[in-house]
Structure formats: structure tokens, C-alpha cells
């Protein structure tokens, strides 16, 4: 058995803890190990916070009011994707989204993408066709005894 859900959230600070609580609730119900759940919830919070802060199309005069979160839990891993309608990631010389630069330890912001990379097993930063950024990440799951989705 596997589960997935998708949310369309307003680009408001209050949407970040909502997405985090929904993910934590789904993983607790499914029987995911609490340490794995915590890591994924922190990574999701960082991705959502970036979408709230940077995910609008400010240049058109009509900022995007929402972003999307999709999560998939199956027997082996959890994959999460956060997509917005902002300007996207800067492009490298090859025309691909440039890897995020690490923030200074003393910086008050700019550490979220690096934190996601440290908490997840695989991370992809990309741009949506047209306009917007996509952050997707996954992590191999560990299960509590008697978990509902655990692979036999």
C-alpha cells in the first residue's frame, strides 16, 4: 500500500506549519520512524518557507497567491515536491538551474536549501517549464514495528 497527497497552499507564513503537520500526521499514521519523519518535516518546512518568500511572480504585477506541495509515501521511500510560480532558480552557463551556494554560518537566511540537502537522501532543484521553481527530495524510510505501509 502507498499513499500520496497534494496541497495547493496560499503563499502565507501560516501555510508552512500546516504542510508540516499534515506530513507528520500522515507519517505517524503510516508508522514511519519518528526520526525520519522529523528530518522530512524540517526539509518540507524549509522548502515551503522558500516558496512563500520567493515563489511569486513579482515582475508581472500580479503575484502568485499559491504554491503546491505533493508527498508520496510507499514501502521504501518518501518523495516530496514543492513547486511555486516565482522566478525560479538562476541558470548556470549550461542553461540548467545552478546549484544553491552555501550560506555563511553567520547569515540569518539562505541556509534552507543546504539544510534540505543534508536531511534528504536525494535532492533535485529545478525550474518549471514556463515559470517557477521545483524542489523535490526523497528519503529512504524506516518503519516502526507494526507499521501500516511497511514492506514485508
Amino acid at each position: 500500500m502507498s499513499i500520496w497527497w497534494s496541497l495547493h497552499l496560499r503563499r502565507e507564513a501560516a501555510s508552512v506549519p500546516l504542510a508540516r503537520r499534515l506530513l507528520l500526521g500522515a507519517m505517524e499514521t503510516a508508522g514511519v520512524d519518528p526520526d525520519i519523519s522529523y528530518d522530512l518535516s524540517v526539509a518540507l518546512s524549509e522548502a515551503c518557507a522558500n516558496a512563500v518568500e520567493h515563489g511569486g511572480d513579482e515582475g508581472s504585477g500580479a503575484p502568485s497567491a499559491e504554491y503546491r506541495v505533493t508527498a508520496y509515501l510507499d514501502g521504501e521511500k518518501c518523495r516530496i515536491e514543492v513547486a511555486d510560480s516565482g522566478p525560479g532558480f538562476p541558470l548556470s552557463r549550461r542553461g540548467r538551474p545552478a546549484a544553491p551556494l552555501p550560506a555563511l554560518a553567520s547569515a540569518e537566511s539562505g541556509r534552507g536549501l543546504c539544510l534540505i540537502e543534508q536531511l534528504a537522501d536525494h535532492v533535485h532543484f529545478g525550474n518549471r517549464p514556463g515559470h517557477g521553481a521545483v524542489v523535490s527530495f526523497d528519503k529512504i524510510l524506516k518503519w516502526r514495528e507494526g507499521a501500516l505501509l511497511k514492506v514485508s
Side-chain angles (χ1 to χ4, degrees):
M1 177 166 60
S2 64
I3 59 173
W4 71 272
W5 48 263
S6 186
L7 303 169
H8 290 261
L9 298 166
R10 288 187 179 160
R11 283 186 51 233
E12 298 173 355
S15 69
V16 177
L18 173 63
R20 181 180 176 137
R21 287 183 198 133
L22 286 168
L23 178 67
L24 283 170
M27 289 191 295
E28 181 180 349
T29 301
V32 175
D33 177 82
D35 291 335
I36 299 294
S37 297
Y38 179 78
D39 287 352
L40 284 167
S41 71
V42 171
L44 174 63
S45 295
E46 293 296 334
C48 290
N50 281 343
V52 167
E53 185 173 347
H54 306 290
D57 186 8
E58 309 299 341
S60 72
S64 173
E66 64 180 34
Y67 65 101
R68 187 189 74 229
V69 175
T70 306
Y72 306 88
L73 279 83
D74 65 24
E76 298 176 6
K77 70 180 177 181
C78 177
R79 178 174 188 82
I80 297 172
E81 180 179 286
V82 177
D84 64 41
S85 298
F89 292 102
L91 298 179
S92 70
R93 289 185 218 170
R94 296 181 196 170
R96 295 183 183 153
L101 298 173
L104 298 173
S106 60
E108 291 188 25
S109 64
R111 295 185 300 261
L113 297 178
C114 293
L115 185 57
I116 293 168
E117 287 181 314
Q118 291 188 12
L119 293 170
D121 294 329
H122 178 262
V123 181
H124 176 75
F125 303 108
N127 290 331
R128 291 181 5 171
H131 208 54
V134 178
V135 175
S136 61
F137 52 95
D138 55 56
K139 190 164 182 82
I140 301 298
L141 297 175
K142 295 179 186 172
W143 299 95
R144 294 188 322 251
E145 193 63 37
L148 295 176
L149 296 181
K150 185 176 179 180
V151 175
S152 301

mmCIF file of all heavy atoms in Angstrom, residues 26 35 46 50 59 73 97-98 105-106 122 128 132 137 148:
data_model
loop_
_atom_site.group_PDB
_atom_site.id
_atom_site.type_symbol
_atom_site.label_atom_id
_atom_site.label_comp_id
_atom_site.label_asym_id
_atom_site.label_seq_id
_atom_site.Cartn_x
_atom_site.Cartn_y
_atom_site.Cartn_z
ATOM 1 N N ALA A 26 0.476 12.133 8.545
ATOM 2 C CA ALA A 26 0.431 11.018 7.599
ATOM 3 C C ALA A 26 1.512 9.996 7.922
ATOM 4 O O ALA A 26 1.266 8.784 7.916
ATOM 5 C CB ALA A 26 0.591 11.528 6.168
ATOM 6 N N ASP A 35 12.309 9.677 13.802
ATOM 7 C CA ASP A 35 13.490 10.445 13.389
ATOM 8 C C ASP A 35 13.449 10.779 11.895
ATOM 9 O O ASP A 35 13.786 11.893 11.487
ATOM 10 C CB ASP A 35 14.780 9.688 13.716
ATOM 11 C CG ASP A 35 15.040 9.590 15.205
ATOM 12 O OD1 ASP A 35 14.536 10.454 15.964
ATOM 13 O OD2 ASP A 35 15.741 8.648 15.615
ATOM 14 N N GLU A 46 11.428 23.983 5.235
ATOM 15 C CA GLU A 46 12.372 24.863 4.542
ATOM 16 C C GLU A 46 11.943 25.110 3.095
ATOM 17 O O GLU A 46 12.002 26.237 2.607
ATOM 18 C CB GLU A 46 13.784 24.275 4.587
ATOM 19 C CG GLU A 46 14.387 24.234 5.965
ATOM 20 C CD GLU A 46 14.613 25.606 6.579
ATOM 21 O OE1 GLU A 46 14.787 26.599 5.827
ATOM 22 O OE2 GLU A 46 14.613 25.700 7.816
ATOM 23 N N ASN A 50 10.689 28.766 1.538
ATOM 24 C CA ASN A 50 11.260 29.361 0.324
ATOM 25 C C ASN A 50 10.172 29.703 -0.689
ATOM 26 O O ASN A 50 10.233 30.746 -1.347
ATOM 27 C CB ASN A 50 12.290 28.428 -0.303
ATOM 28 C CG ASN A 50 13.619 28.479 0.414
ATOM 29 O OD1 ASN A 50 13.889 29.403 1.173
ATOM 30 N ND2 ASN A 50 14.446 27.486 0.174
ATOM 31 N N GLY A 59 7.310 40.233 -10.894
ATOM 32 C CA GLY A 59 7.556 41.093 -12.050
ATOM 33 C C GLY A 59 6.313 41.427 -12.858
ATOM 34 O O GLY A 59 6.252 42.436 -13.532
ATOM 35 N N LEU A 73 4.276 8.512 -0.128
ATOM 36 C CA LEU A 73 4.871 7.540 0.788
ATOM 37 C C LEU A 73 4.580 6.168 0.233
ATOM 38 O O LEU A 73 3.427 5.843 -0.082
ATOM 39 C CB LEU A 73 4.258 7.631 2.190
ATOM 40 C CG LEU A 73 4.776 8.713 3.112
ATOM 41 C CD1 LEU A 73 4.088 10.016 2.814
ATOM 42 C CD2 LEU A 73 4.555 8.305 4.539
ATOM 43 N N PRO A 97 19.347 24.911 -13.940
ATOM 44 C CA PRO A 97 19.342 25.608 -12.653
ATOM 45 C C PRO A 97 20.669 25.399 -11.926
ATOM 46 O O PRO A 97 21.177 24.286 -11.843
ATOM 47 C CB PRO A 97 18.196 24.956 -11.897
ATOM 48 C CG PRO A 97 17.298 24.429 -12.960
ATOM 49 C CD PRO A 97 18.213 24.010 -14.079
ATOM 50 N N ALA A 98 21.236 26.498 -11.444
ATOM 51 C CA ALA A 98 22.513 26.439 -10.742
ATOM 52 C C ALA A 98 22.312 25.852 -9.349
ATOM 53 O O ALA A 98 21.282 26.075 -8.707
ATOM 54 C CB ALA A 98 23.110 27.841 -10.641
ATOM 55 N N ALA A 105 27.808 30.783 7.786
ATOM 56 C CA ALA A 105 27.275 30.324 9.070
ATOM 57 C C ALA A 105 26.640 31.461 9.853
ATOM 58 O O ALA A 105 25.708 31.249 10.628
ATOM 59 C CB ALA A 105 28.382 29.666 9.887
ATOM 60 N N SER A 106 27.118 32.683 9.655
ATOM 61 C CA SER A 106 26.587 33.827 10.392
ATOM 62 C C SER A 106 25.351 34.441 9.728
ATOM 63 O O SER A 106 24.723 35.327 10.285
ATOM 64 C CB SER A 106 27.675 34.896 10.530
ATOM 65 O OG SER A 106 28.101 35.321 9.242
ATOM 66 N N HIS A 122 18.198 12.273 -1.502
ATOM 67 C CA HIS A 122 18.363 12.742 -2.871
ATOM 68 C C HIS A 122 17.560 14.022 -3.016
ATOM 69 O O HIS A 122 16.410 14.088 -2.589
ATOM 70 C CB HIS A 122 17.851 11.689 -3.866
ATOM 71 C CG HIS A 122 17.951 12.140 -5.282
ATOM 72 N ND1 HIS A 122 16.876 12.662 -5.958
ATOM 73 C CD2 HIS A 122 18.998 12.161 -6.139
ATOM 74 C CE1 HIS A 122 17.264 12.978 -7.183
ATOM 75 N NE2 HIS A 122 18.536 12.694 -7.319
ATOM 76 N N ARG A 128 10.315 24.988 -13.353
ATOM 77 C CA ARG A 128 9.145 24.507 -14.080
ATOM 78 C C ARG A 128 9.147 25.096 -15.472
ATOM 79 O O ARG A 128 9.598 26.223 -15.664
ATOM 80 C CB ARG A 128 7.860 24.931 -13.365
ATOM 81 C CG ARG A 128 7.648 24.238 -12.074
ATOM 82 C CD ARG A 128 6.387 24.619 -11.357
ATOM 83 N NE ARG A 128 5.511 25.523 -12.084
ATOM 84 C CZ ARG A 128 4.299 25.826 -11.693
ATOM 85 N NH1 ARG A 128 3.812 25.311 -10.600
ATOM 86 N NH2 ARG A 128 3.558 26.657 -12.372
ATOM 87 N N GLY A 132 8.728 29.280 -12.570
ATOM 88 C CA GLY A 132 8.613 28.741 -11.220
ATOM 89 C C GLY A 132 9.717 27.769 -10.887
ATOM 90 O O GLY A 132 10.408 27.246 -11.762
ATOM 91 N N PHE A 137 12.649 16.162 -3.134
ATOM 92 C CA PHE A 137 13.616 15.414 -2.341
ATOM 93 C C PHE A 137 12.968 14.133 -1.850
ATOM 94 O O PHE A 137 11.753 14.034 -1.739
ATOM 95 C CB PHE A 137 14.154 16.255 -1.169
ATOM 96 C CG PHE A 137 13.110 16.877 -0.288
ATOM 97 C CD1 PHE A 137 12.679 16.258 0.874
ATOM 98 C CD2 PHE A 137 12.556 18.106 -0.622
ATOM 99 C CE1 PHE A 137 11.729 16.838 1.686
ATOM 100 C CE2 PHE A 137 11.600 18.704 0.185
ATOM 101 C CZ PHE A 137 11.191 18.062 1.354
ATOM 102 N N LEU A 148 1.686 0.384 9.142
ATOM 103 C CA LEU A 148 0.652 0.077 8.138
ATOM 104 C C LEU A 148 1.209 -0.107 6.731
ATOM 105 O O LEU A 148 0.707 -0.935 5.976
ATOM 106 C CB LEU A 148 -0.390 1.189 8.102
ATOM 107 C CG LEU A 148 -1.232 1.375 9.371
ATOM 108 C CD1 LEU A 148 -2.149 2.569 9.211
ATOM 109 C CD2 LEU A 148 -2.045 0.121 9.647
#
